[in-house]
Amino acid sequence: MPTKSKNPYLPFGDQQNAPWYGKDILSVKQFSRPDLNYIFAVAHEMRIMVERVGTFDLLKGKILANLFYEPSTRTSSSFMSAMQRLGGAVIPISEVKYSSVAKGESLPDTVRTLGCYADVIVIRHPEVGSAALAAKHARKPVINAGDGVGEHPTQALLDTFTIHEELGRLDNLNVTMLGDLRYGRTVHSLARLLTRFKGIKMNYVSPEALRMPREVIEEVAAKGYPQSEHATLEKILPETDVLYVTRVQRERFEDPAEYEKVKSAYVITPEVMKPAKAEMIVMHPLPRVTEISMDFDDDPRAAYFRQMEYGLYVRMALLAMVLGKA
Ligand code: CP
């Protein structure tokens, strides 16, 4: 991944030789295990700093353009919070209908524009490959915050950081992904990223119509990792260390009748979780609809709200890295 052209006006103190300086973050395929160890170490430092002082000026003078063509609560607000906790500022474009996109401006022209005003661009867009297209035309680093049913790399980074912080390891785990594995971009990125670790077994539980895409299964298989597919959770739950639940993504269905058939395929309740290990975690990228009952929220294994917070630290780390301050 080439580094974006150096800005001659960058202030003193930017570490232009830092390994991630000026890089786009588009796919989990970019990250090796040493990269992940580094990101987790920086994220851990960010956590300590936020807990100690809340806000500090590592990115003072830097500006983030937060460009969201699709709805978001966590990714959008955690990137904004991350930049502001690091002392930087944000141009928030969450309602593209109020931007020149509504006048028909192309994605390349929009990111060319934002590159004039910001130092880094975070983008969420409904089309696969949109973040890569944006990166091609932006002279500032672009971070993919979800490109349609493609990838959501920063989510996979925060997901693996969550597993590390919660279970203390990322090797030798039995990871079960449940729900909408066809349209859920978070599980596509997570399955790929888990191949950086040793002794991982991946289980996919979904309705027939929402199975994990073949290309993801083939990529994981090519790296020698065992995988299994299931229609029900019962058999696989007792051996699961991480249960990663996903929402059935209504907005990706062309036929509403097809959505109705599968929308309530699985619901995690305290009763369902009885056969699970005492030391395991339940994750969810959120938002949830009905797939995890609120009755389960107080169970110590319910890690999904802590997972959101870990996202802040990982995104702080990523911003600092691409801006040459980590
Ligand atoms: N996990 C996630 O991407 O949440 P948002 O859609 O709220 O950003």
Side-chain angles (χ1 to χ4, degrees), residues 162-163 167 173-179 181 187 190 203-205 232-234 236-246 266-269 272-273 276-277 279-285 291-292 296 301-304 307:
T162 299
I163 297 170
L167 296 179
L173 289 170
N174 205 318
V175 180
T176 299
M177 302 180 203
L178 173 90
L181 308 184
V187 286
L190 181 62
N203 314 300
Y204 308 129
V205 183
T232 60
L233 179 62
E234 285 76 15
I236 210 77
L237 182 60
E239 64 197 61
T240 294
D241 299 300
V242 176
L243 176 60
Y244 194 98
V245 183
T246 63
Y266 311 102
V267 181
I268 300 301
T269 64
V272 167
M273 289 301 294
K277 294 178 183 178
E279 284 207 17
M280 57 85 71
I281 53 172
V282 178
M283 298 174 63
H284 192 308
E291 58 279 2
I292 301 181
F296 185 67
R301 296 170 294 181
Y304 32 91
Q307 184 182 351

Side-chain angles (χ1 to χ4, degrees), residues 68 70-78 124 145 152 155 158 185-186 244 247 284-287 307-308 315:
F68 279 70
E70 277 194 328
S72 168
T73 299
R74 277 145 291 273
T75 313
S76 170
S77 51
S78 64
R124 173 172 288 184
H152 193 350
Q155 179 74 43
L158 81 87
R185 57 193 169 202
T186 63
Y244 194 98
R247 171 179 69 94
H284 192 308
L286 302 176
Q307 184 182 351
M308 288 192 290
R315 287 170 176 142

